[in-house]
Amino acid sequence: MIRAGEIYPGISMMHGREITQAMIDAFPDADSDAAYWLREQIAYRATNDDIPALIDLLAASKEQAASLADCMAEMRQIDWSRHREKLAALLTHETLQVADSAANLMRFHPESIDVEVLVDDYEQQSRRTRRLYLYVIGHSKKLGRRGEQLLIKALKDPHAGVRCPAASAVNDIEKAGPDIVAALIAGIDDKNEYTATVMVRALATLGAKEAGSKMLARLKGPFLSRNGFDDDSIDKARQLGEIDGDSKYPGSGRSRALQYRDPGGMLGQRSGSLTEELVRALGQLKYKPARNELYAIVRSKSPRWKQSYLGHEALVSLCEIEPKNKRKLLLEILGDVEANWMAARKAVILAGETQDPSYIEALLPLADIPGHPGYRDDIARPTYQAIVKLSHHIDTGTPSGDKLIGRIRGRFLKNIRGPNAAAAMEALFELDAEAAYDEAIKAALDKTASRDIRSGAAWVFRQSKDPTHVRKLLPLLQDESPSRFEGDQIRDDMATVISSICGNLDPKKPDHSKALALAGDALRKMLHGPRGAAAVEPLARLEGDADRYVEVLLRTAGDRSLANKTRIRALELIVRSGDELSAEKLGPLLNDQTQADAGGLSIAEHAANSIAALTGRWERIDAKDPAETRKEGLRKARTWIADE
């Protein structure tokens, strides 16, 4: 039955190698769902006796090679040292996906790697396979003398595509002899910046302080980008092609083993920023002669729109080199944030981590600078977060400490109506929840305030357990003012917020019970109005517990007195719930020919699409389909219900 594709859950309870072998046999022809189930079962059931068959299956795979190798990598119960020879043979497989998948499998099981065999076979292989060998060797636990000699040779290879994975291998091994260190130091001046970047990273990992002088010399070189950004030159593209060109598969996809791995830069996965890596490495090595160069980077002025993380990295490195000078440096930067914006942002974060409330005086003025929410150069939210963290260490038992808390609260209250409203409200809530709720009520009800301020204030109440907040916010369920979300109104936001508060209340308490009843009445009224779709989910959560949530949605979807958008919203939420038993209960809606909108789908057709989703079908009725096709879609939906 398994080989015929007839898989049912009970099979997973059956024991025996014959069943496991049948699963292995069925894997190549299985559809995606069955293949996933088979992988899970094989990973759990396989023994050492099954591995030869699995390796043969991996060798015969292509598109599924990676997922099968991932499955095999999870097999902790296998003694992979018994299968070294067969796995090593796969590294030379003509199908690239198979070779790369075998390399990734060996990465997770170092005992499967025989370095001596790979060294013996290295010279006979193509450049791509040599790179794969180096990747595998880098994940071995026992490099050995011959393995080390091979890495030294590879670090000096004429082709950057070999030098780069050799340096990555050293970085992964995290230990090396003096000859490897010498080869890496020579590689700091590699003409391929991507390769040089990995060389520098490996030296920092090894703690090779003797590399500091050469790193600093290259950092001072005139040819490096001084703002840390990778350029888009043809030469840079050629350099990346040298080390990454053969990681692409014919058609689509890339090799996880050979794709260039940025050593940890913040400019993006493929940045290749040698400048940034040099700055970071000099800090890790605590190389004091680099102090002046790093300070110049931290204090360099550049337009805010052209900021990089280089100032951020240089500040971190300076603090590692001169920890005793950290406080003076942070205060200097906080007093002149416009000089290097990203360095200032990092200074804010570092100050917040110190547990030293004396930094608050320097941070408070920054709370007034308009932020850039959601972007990497936003300094507002980190500033508010740092102030709140440090406020926990203020001695409120003294007049000065109590006064400082008052100043912080006052600053936050003032900025709730400013450009940093969201960050200020969030910070005030952490500092003084009661004051935050009082101010949020005023802001939410103030129709002269901006949509961002009103919506942001409303969302503060999601954690509230105070039933009086329900009564105070109920008028906003009729507020048609626009919210911060395009196309939504304040009342849409409030429906969700009030439902969240109700979820925190105890119906056994009289005042809580009364608030729940008021909220239920208001949401039911909203449900029957023009914005009823926004009330569907809040009301379902209010009226139905975990077991009755879908039941309420089904009732809403079937209520013909409601607007069609409201009913469609209920159907969408039923699908999102993943409750497969709902498919059959949607059957009566297949006869509801109410048109959702001019030229759109009927409620019946929406129900048919919901049934398709809940029963795992991909077919959908589209508004552009001819009438006969749409009728056929309804007929199929009835069949799917019957099949279930």
Side-chain angles (χ1 to χ4, degrees):
M1 292 176 67
I2 298 173
R3 293 190 180 100
E6 298 179 21
I7 299 170
Y8 58 91
I11 293 176
S12 63
M13 304 298 292
M14 301 172 66
H15 300 285
R17 280 203 61 220
E18 209 173 325
I19 296 290
T20 307
Q21 185 60 52
M23 292 177 174
I24 294 171
D25 293 342
F27 184 83
D29 300 317
D31 61 29
S32 58
D33 290 338
Y36 175 81
W37 184 86
L38 286 168
R39 284 197 303 272
E40 295 292 305
Q41 287 298 313
I42 292 169
Y44 173 73
R45 300 167 64 100
T47 67
N48 277 299
D49 293 333
D50 298 309
I51 297 305
L54 278 169
I55 293 177
D56 290 341
L57 177 59
L58 180 61
S61 302
K62 184 176 180 181
E63 300 302 330
Q64 292 183 326
S67 60
L68 180 59
D70 288 344
C71 160
M72 295 167 72
E74 294 172 8
M75 298 178 185
R76 307 299 177 191
Q77 72 274 23
I78 302 301
D79 178 8
W80 289 99
S81 64
R82 294 173 50 181
H83 310 286
R84 288 177 172 179
E85 188 175 340
K86 287 179 74 71
L87 284 173
L90 289 183
L91 296 176
T92 61
H93 199 282
E94 60 182 8
T95 302
L96 303 185
Q97 291 92 326
V98 172
D100 295 344
S101 297
N104 276 307
L105 168 59
M106 297 169 78
R107 168 192 172 190
F108 288 103
H109 296 283
E111 71 276 14
S112 70
I113 303 170
D114 190 331
V115 174
E116 293 286 330
V117 169
L118 298 179
V119 171
D120 287 340
D121 199 39
Y122 181 83
E123 293 295 340
Q124 287 73 250
Q125 299 304 325
S126 66
R127 183 187 300 150
R128 189 185 194 281
T129 302
R130 289 182 182 184
R131 296 182 63 213
L132 210 56
Y133 278 17
L134 292 169
Y135 172 83
V136 171
I137 288 172
H139 292 93
S140 64
K141 288 184 177 179
K142 296 180 180 179
L143 184 60
R145 183 181 61 83
R146 295 188 66 212
E148 184 168 337
Q149 289 176 340
L150 177 63
L151 286 181
I152 294 169
K153 181 178 181 180
L155 287 169
K156 300 175 181 179
D157 193 278
H159 200 280
V162 175
R163 298 194 301 273
C164 189
S168 290
V170 177
N171 188 56
D172 290 331
I173 293 170
E174 298 183 357
K175 57 183 178 181
D179 291 339
I180 285 184
V181 171
L184 289 170
I185 291 175
I188 294 172
D189 288 330
D190 199 297
K191 293 180 180 179
N192 186 300
E193 286 191 26
Y194 293 92
T195 299
T197 299
V198 185
M199 299 275 190
V200 171
R201 175 74 263 157
L203 287 164
T205 300
L206 295 172
K209 295 183 181 296
E210 61 268 41
S213 60
K214 197 156 192 176
M215 288 183 186
L216 180 58
R218 178 134 204 199
L219 180 62
K220 290 180 176 180
F223 47 84
L224 284 185
S225 168
R226 301 312 297 162
N227 64 9
F229 281 110
D230 186 21
D231 59 54
D232 295 322
S233 67
I234 295 176
D235 184 57
K236 207 63 182 293
R238 177 191 60 76
Q239 291 182 30
L240 181 59
E242 286 180 343
I243 62 170
D244 201 33
D246 56 7
S247 71
K248 298 177 182 178
Y249 296 137
S252 63
R254 301 179 71 90
S255 166
R256 286 184 291 172
L258 297 184
Q259 184 175 345
Y260 173 71
R261 294 177 294 154
D262 178 55
M266 300 183 70
L267 301 181
Q269 185 181 359
R270 305 292 296 284
S271 71
S273 174
L274 176 57
T275 314
E276 183 185 2
E277 194 58 47
L278 286 165
V279 166
R280 186 186 300 111
L282 287 166
Q284 288 179 265
L285 297 176
K286 296 180 174 54
Y287 188 67
K288 291 187 177 182
R291 194 259 178 209
N292 291 340
E293 186 72 14
L294 295 175
Y295 181 79
I297 294 173
V298 167
R299 303 300 289 140
S300 63
K301 294 182 182 292
S302 57
R304 184 173 175 183
W305 58 269
K306 198 176 182 182
Q307 294 290 327
S308 80
Y309 277 103
L310 198 57
H312 164 128
E313 292 289 355
L315 175 59
V316 172
S317 290
L318 272 176
C319 291
E320 289 179 330
I321 291 172
E322 295 186 323
K324 292 182 180 179
N325 198 39
K326 179 178 178 179
R327 176 181 170 77
K328 180 182 176 183
L329 180 62
L330 293 183
L331 289 174
E332 178 184 341
I333 295 169
L334 293 174
D336 184 20
V337 297
E338 294 295 338
N340 189 299
W341 198 262
M342 296 309 294
R345 188 178 187 276
K346 187 60 178 178
V348 167
I349 294 170
L350 292 175
E353 294 171 351
T354 63
Q355 301 183 5
D356 181 355
S358 65
Y359 281 102
I360 291 176
E361 293 292 350
L363 290 169
L364 279 174
L366 307 188
D368 298 335
I369 298 175
H372 201 185
Y375 290 84
R376 67 177 187 170
D377 66 347
D378 177 37
I379 202 171
R381 189 171 296 278
T383 296
Y384 282 96
Q385 290 171 341
I387 292 172
V388 169
K389 282 183 183 178
L390 295 174
S391 69
H392 297 318
H393 302 282
I394 295 174
D395 183 359
T396 54
T398 64
S400 59
D402 193 52
K403 184 178 179 180
L404 181 55
I405 287 289
R407 288 179 57 209
I408 294 170
R409 184 187 293 107
R411 180 83 63 155
F412 290 177
L413 282 167
K414 183 191 77 171
N415 289 343
I416 281 173
R417 301 300 183 96
N420 297 327
M425 181 65 78
E426 192 176 287
L428 180 61
F429 183 77
E430 288 192 48
L431 184 72
D432 186 341
E434 187 175 345
Y437 282 136
D438 289 344
E439 191 61 29
I441 286 281
K442 296 174 188 175
L445 292 170
D446 184 1
K447 290 191 176 184
T448 65
S450 71
R451 64 171 71 184
D452 287 339
I453 290 173
R454 297 189 71 198
S455 292
W459 287 106
V460 169
F461 292 94
R462 287 176 297 174
Q463 305 300 322
S464 171
K465 298 180 181 180
D466 187 344
T468 65
H469 290 158
V470 173
R471 187 176 66 255
K472 292 177 180 178
L473 294 173
L474 282 178
L476 291 173
L477 288 178
Q478 283 82 48
D479 195 319
E480 300 179 13
S481 305
S483 82
R484 60 180 171 180
F485 302 112
E486 192 66 34
D488 284 358
Q489 297 179 356
I490 291 292
R491 55 182 172 179
D492 301 337
D493 293 349
M494 292 316 306
T496 301
V497 169
I498 289 173
S499 174
S500 297
I501 299 173
C502 290
N504 300 327
L505 301 183
D506 182 356
K508 294 179 182 179
K509 296 179 179 179
D511 54 340
H512 289 217
S513 178
K514 187 176 180 180
L516 289 168
L518 288 171
D521 290 342
L523 287 172
R524 277 187 287 274
K525 183 178 179 181
M526 184 178 181
L527 187 73
H528 285 82
R531 306 293 292 190
V536 174
E537 185 172 15
L539 187 59
R541 296 199 179 281
L542 179 63
E543 291 189 342
D545 53 23
D547 295 328
R548 294 186 59 247
Y549 172 73
V550 175
E551 181 183 324
V552 177
L553 292 175
L554 286 165
R555 187 175 68 231
T556 304
D559 187 346
R560 297 194 180 199
S561 69
L562 299 176
N564 291 325
K565 286 185 178 180
T566 303
R567 300 175 68 190
I568 293 167
R569 176 59 177 162
L571 288 170
E572 291 171 351
L573 292 171
I574 291 169
V575 171
R576 188 188 297 175
S577 75
D579 183 22
E580 298 175 5
L581 297 177
S582 300
E584 183 177 356
K585 297 174 183 178
L586 290 174
L589 289 183
L590 294 174
N591 298 315
D592 189 331
Q593 295 303 315
T594 308
Q595 286 298 123
D597 50 55
L601 299 180
S602 66
I603 291 295
E605 290 163 338
H606 278 290
N609 286 343
S610 299
I611 291 168
L614 290 167
T615 56
R617 271 79 177 187
W618 293 100
E619 298 169 71
R620 297 290 186 274
I621 299 174
D622 189 273
K624 297 179 182 178
D625 289 341
E628 286 303 315
T629 303
R630 293 162 79 157
K631 285 181 181 179
E632 177 63 14
L634 292 173
R635 186 195 66 76
K636 285 183 177 180
R638 293 187 178 92
T639 303
W640 295 332
I641 291 175
D643 290 345
E644 291 296 313

